[in-house]
Amino acid sequence: MHDKILILDFGSQVTQLIARRVREAQVYCEIHPCDVSDAFVRDFAPKGIILSGSHGSTYEDHELRAPQAVWDLGVPVLGICYGMQTMAAQLGGKVEWSDHREFGYAEVRVRGHTRLFDGIEDFRTGEGHGMLKVWMSHGDKVTELPPGFKLMASTPSCTIAGMADEARGYYAVQFHPEVTHTVQGKAMLTRFVREICGCRGDWVMGDYITEAVQKIREQVGDEEVILGLSGGVDSSVAAALIHRAIGDQLTCVFVDHGLLRLHEGDMVMDMFAGKLHAKVIRVDASELFLGKLAGVTDPEKKRKIIGGLFVDVFKAEAEKLKASGQGHKGATFLAQGTIYPDVIESGGAKSKKAVTIKSHHNVGGLPEQLGLKLLEPLRELFKDEVRELGVALGLPHDMVYRHPFPGPGLGVRILGEVKKEYADLLRRADAIFIEELRSTLDADSGKSWYDLTSQAFAVFLPVKSVGVMGDGRTYDYVVALRAVQTSDFMTADWAELPYALLKKVSSRIINEVRGINRVTYDVSSKPPATIEWE
């Protein structure tokens, strides 16, 4: 059993970053809504608890409180931003509305000697005060320490920017150590989970394979598994892991919904059927998907249609497997490449304080009529952990480190109605963009621009613009190029690609893809924009 950290989510949009920093410290953790029961907290048996930030206010929203078991369990607790405020409010301190809201970069003075900050600082002032460069995002502030607490940090506008009751192992900070803008944030969270909570650093992907294989074998037994193979990183790693565990008990169903990237279907078959020797059934369902999407423009409806059709196709293939006698029982498990961020984003607290940003077609809730049990071997892992696992399983580096591709495929990169004509144009434009990113090296780092960007793709805009080709007038479609750089996908900056690269990509798309006469580049960051357009 791994030592565990429990992260209680009060609705912050960056709670996932806390978990990723804890995992980077090789400690297992899980995020759960802040309104879980006392019994849940006790049964989880954490070595420590972290309380996240929130958009809420401690004096306005009395539902946003940590369960009493958090304080009764006798384990260290770290409060972050709102987590600090609810710690103060629940343990006898005071929180008030502040007339000076802090959002963005701040320099915090470390006060007093605590285990959390011992030896951690960014610079010293002329007077010898240790200082931290941090990221603030709060309106309320703690104005009176709870009994037993001492001051740990402050800023000119926030007298209590950190507090601690070391006898009980309680620490709290008003800033966000989970974001990259807090320079020493990773060191602080590592200090909390490894030293203060005493967790072992035993969360390592190479070791995890043995554990995961054993778990899959125990769950599946001698039954058959059907897996929806999309060609993306998540389903590919899930397939490789399950195949490692149960071999021919796994049948992969590769559904071509007509919304894949250029030549993707052939590449998937070559890897899994050709190289891994897994059982793969290729289903051309493009007409079915495109037919159901005709006339649909709402992004959420498109996602739901595509997700529903996947279930229908899996059900049909499972029935075929059963009827054909492959396996002595037919498929009884449906395996999916669900990863931890999917689980978190599609969830939410009972109090509805956590907002669902978008639905995911591959998360739980499969209709009962499907008649299959669910096998999700990656649902505990973040994306970077999935990639590490893929490499450890022997999948090619280029496949494992491909940029993320949404489950609905090009269906959410074609704005508005999805048509075959649009998909064909977008496929070719996108392939040119990716090809040039891969072949263009950055002079300073020597890396390709594909490796220097976290996600890059083309988007089809359902509008036409006037252009000129030769002596003739054209009236053709527009594509937008999107390339971002991010460490966590929660925030992202648009990539400052070289003009020469953009010029070449634009020229090639307009010249080689008949039907597109204008190329634009998206210079929006996240937030306020999302990475995908839909």
Side-chain angles (χ1 to χ4, degrees), residues 176-251:
H176 288 269
E178 68 271 32
V179 302
T180 53
H181 305 78
T182 298
V183 178
Q184 300 290 343
K186 183 177 178 180
M188 294 172 201
L189 287 167
T190 300
R191 169 73 53 79
F192 179 72
V193 300
R194 294 291 295 271
E195 297 181 28
I196 294 172
C197 297
C199 292
R200 295 165 293 170
D202 60 359
W203 185 247
V204 182
M205 284 303 99
D207 300 340
Y208 178 72
I209 293 174
T210 304
E211 184 181 322
V213 163
Q214 183 61 32
K215 193 183 293 185
I216 291 166
R217 286 174 179 165
E218 288 174 2
Q219 186 176 353
V220 174
D222 61 356
E223 298 180 50
E224 301 284 321
V225 179
I226 184 173
L227 177 141
L229 186 60
S230 70
V233 174
D234 302 335
S235 68
S236 297
V237 174
L241 179 60
I242 297 168
H243 187 257
R244 169 81 64 97
I246 60 171
D248 283 349
Q249 289 170 251
L250 169 68
T251 301

Side-chain angles (χ1 to χ4, degrees), residues 14 20-21 111 145 251-252 254 269 346 376 426 444 511 520:
V14 292
R20 289 192 69 250
R21 295 288 174 265
R111 293 177 178 271
L145 292 169
T251 301
C252 297
F254 173 50
M269 294 302 294
S346 299
E376 297 176 315
L426 180 57
D444 294 329
N511 283 304
T520 65

Side-chain angles (χ1 to χ4, degrees), residues 356-377:
T356 299
I357 306 298
K358 61 187 177 184
S359 67
H360 290 266
H361 79 271
N362 61 336
V363 179
L366 288 171
E368 289 181 10
Q369 73 268 20
L370 192 60
L372 297 177
K373 294 173 281 188
L374 207 52
L375 177 64
E376 297 176 315

